[in-house]
């Protein structure tokens, strides 16, 4: 088999993949199978979790003030372990009426749910806390500290 025959085979493979991808009913089926639905009142540990990038959070909350709808408010993002808190700073609303959004609910009245769930998952899986936190730091994820992990165990 020479190089020209390899190119033909490869092109045919790509052509068949293009035909498969262009089928609109398959695209609709994929969309429906990837749609996330959560029952109302679901507990935080039953909900799916997502990794969200800083730039997408800022771009979303920079569109308009969620209180007065004026365009382009300032945005500040604070972290508490795995939880992000986004604060909009709007010139029209002023500092007394800032809009604030948290990326997760609190559990036990004072702990971000993701922080507790991460601690519990690490404990139940039996993995080394240092290795897990190192992996998350290599990914650039905001996570709890080893100290927080041990506080959660008390």
């Amino acid at each position: 088999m020479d190089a020209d025959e390899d190119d033909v085979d490869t092109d045919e493979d790509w052509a068949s993949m293009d035909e498969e991808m262009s089928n609109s009913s398959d695209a609709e089926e994929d969309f429906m199978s990837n749609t996330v639905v959560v029952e109302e009142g679901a507990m935080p540990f039953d909900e799916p979790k997502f990794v969200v990038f800083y730039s997408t959070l800022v771009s979303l909350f920079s569109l308009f003030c969620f209180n007065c709808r004026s365009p382009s408010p300032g945005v500040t993002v604070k972290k508490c372990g795995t939880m992000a808190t986004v604060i909009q700073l709007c010139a029209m609303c002023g500092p007394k009426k800032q809009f604030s959004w948290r990326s997760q609910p609190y559990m036990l009245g004072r702990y971000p749910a993701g922080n507790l769930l991460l601690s519990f998952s690490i404990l139940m899986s039996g993995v080394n806390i240092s290795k897990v936190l190192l992996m998350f730091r290599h990914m650039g994820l905001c996570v709890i500290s080893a100290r927080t992990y041990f506080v959660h165990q008390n």
Side-chain angles (χ1 to χ4, degrees):
M1 205 175 191
D2 63 14
D4 290 337
E5 289 176 13
D6 285 340
D7 290 341
V8 170
D9 289 340
T10 304
D11 291 341
E12 288 174 9
D13 291 340
W14 281 106
S16 65
M17 287 178 65
D18 288 340
E19 289 171 4
E20 291 174 16
M21 296 298 287
S22 68
N23 189 342
S24 64
S25 65
D26 287 344
E28 290 174 22
E29 199 173 293
D30 285 344
F31 176 76
M32 293 306 291
S33 67
N34 290 328
T35 301
V36 178
V37 178
V38 178
E39 291 184 27
E40 189 175 331
M43 297 300 292
F45 53 83
D46 287 330
E47 294 181 25
K49 289 92 179 145
F50 301 93
V51 174
V52 179
F53 283 68
Y54 173 86
S55 58
T56 58
L57 272 180
V58 170
S59 67
L60 175 65
F61 284 93
S62 296
L63 292 174
F64 60 87
C65 174
F66 284 28
N67 286 327
C68 71
R69 307 288 188 246
S70 63
S72 304
V75 176
T76 302
V77 180
K78 296 182 178 184
K79 68 177 182 125
C80 179
T82 62
M83 182 175 76
T85 301
V86 181
I87 301 165
Q88 286 185 321
L89 310 166
C90 176
M92 300 293 286
C93 293
K96 293 188 179 190
K97 197 177 176 189
Q98 295 177 346
F99 180 82
S100 180
W101 175 83
R102 291 188 318 258
S103 64
Q104 52 192 259
Y106 282 100
M107 291 180 73
L108 304 175
R110 64 183 199 169
Y111 300 108
N115 294 352
L116 276 181
L117 293 171
L118 178 59
S119 290
F120 181 74
S121 298
I122 291 169
L123 180 66
M124 292 288 91
S125 65
V127 296
N128 182 309
I129 178 68
S130 299
K131 299 238 180 198
V132 171
L133 296 180
L134 179 63
M135 179 192 69
F136 286 153
R137 286 197 180 90
H138 282 303
M139 289 181 64
L141 292 176
C142 295
V143 294
I144 60 174
S145 65
R147 182 175 179 262
T148 300
Y149 168 76
F150 291 113
V151 167
H152 287 164
Q153 290 183 33
N154 289 333

